[in-house]
Amino acid sequence: STAAMRHIGSAMTDPYTALAGAASALYGPLHGGANEAVLRMLEKIGSKENIPAFLEGVKKKENLLMGFGHRVYRNYDPRAAIIRGIAYEVFSIMGEEPLIEVAVELEKLAREDDYFVSRKLFPNVDFYSGLIYRAMGFPTDMFPVLFAIPRTVGWLAHWNEQLNDPQSKIARPRQVYTGPPVREYTAIDKRNNSLPSELPLNSSQFSRRRGVARE
């Protein structure tokens, strides 16, 4: 999301438009929407008894393990240890979140399994944050918003720094084509250019945001 802010801002774009782009990047389930994806994963598992089968499915590439792993923290995300304690503090005030038992057991079994340990897949900060938000009564659709609010300060700092840098240039990431040098094609005058009456709509596996929010 910060890279998106800088990339858009490099075109001398106003901060509101650049922020919109950064927020769009943050909205993705692999970034700011990760805690929501964790919540859906825990709901799918349902109970502690289903965790071993779920982890076997992860190993077979049949399930996605959300909230584990980080590009920077290769051993254990120190923020996860802090937010785990905060989660219990919130639950003691707001009431117990049923999925917390599933989350704790999932973390325990994953950290004892050589498959995940060898791949340095440990819980990150997103693993518990979604549970905290839900226990506090925030709808699922608001999760990325809550994540974006504090990040806005950093995004604007990057935008301002870049704007005031006299050596700043428009960002143009290098793209290197690695495909085949020659490809067969149909001449334009021999193509069937008729369009279907209805275009198929493909939905992402992570497009259940509003459905989850209503549940």
Side-chain angles (χ1 to χ4, degrees), residues 76-86:
Y76 190 83
D77 186 344
R79 303 170 302 168
I82 296 173
I83 202 170
R84 186 174 185 267
I86 294 175

Side-chain angles (χ1 to χ4, degrees), residues 125-198:
V125 71
D126 297 308
F127 188 68
Y128 284 102
S129 59
L131 293 170
I132 294 174
Y133 288 156
R134 191 161 88 163
M136 295 175 67
F138 288 105
T140 311
D141 268 0
M142 283 293 293
F143 288 5
V145 177
L146 296 171
F147 199 9
I149 291 172
R151 278 178 170 261
T152 300
V153 177
W155 288 340
L156 288 172
H158 276 275
W159 177 86
N160 189 57
E161 174 193 54
Q162 187 170 248
L163 189 70
N164 292 311
D165 184 355
Q167 297 183 344
S168 179
K169 298 179 181 179
I170 187 170
R172 295 186 185 277
R174 185 184 181 195
Q175 300 181 42
V176 180
Y177 177 70
T178 59
V182 179
R183 300 182 67 176
E184 297 293 333
Y185 72 97
T186 303
I188 194 169
D189 59 337
K190 296 181 179 179
R191 298 177 190 174
N192 179 9
N193 293 320
S194 60
L195 296 176
S197 57
E198 294 185 6

Side-chain angles (χ1 to χ4, degrees), residues 36 40 43 140-141 207-215:
E36 180 185 338
R40 288 202 298 272
E43 290 173 340
T140 311
D141 268 0
S207 62
R208 291 185 58 247
R209 290 184 183 275
R210 287 163 183 77
V212 173
R214 288 192 293 267
E215 293 174 2

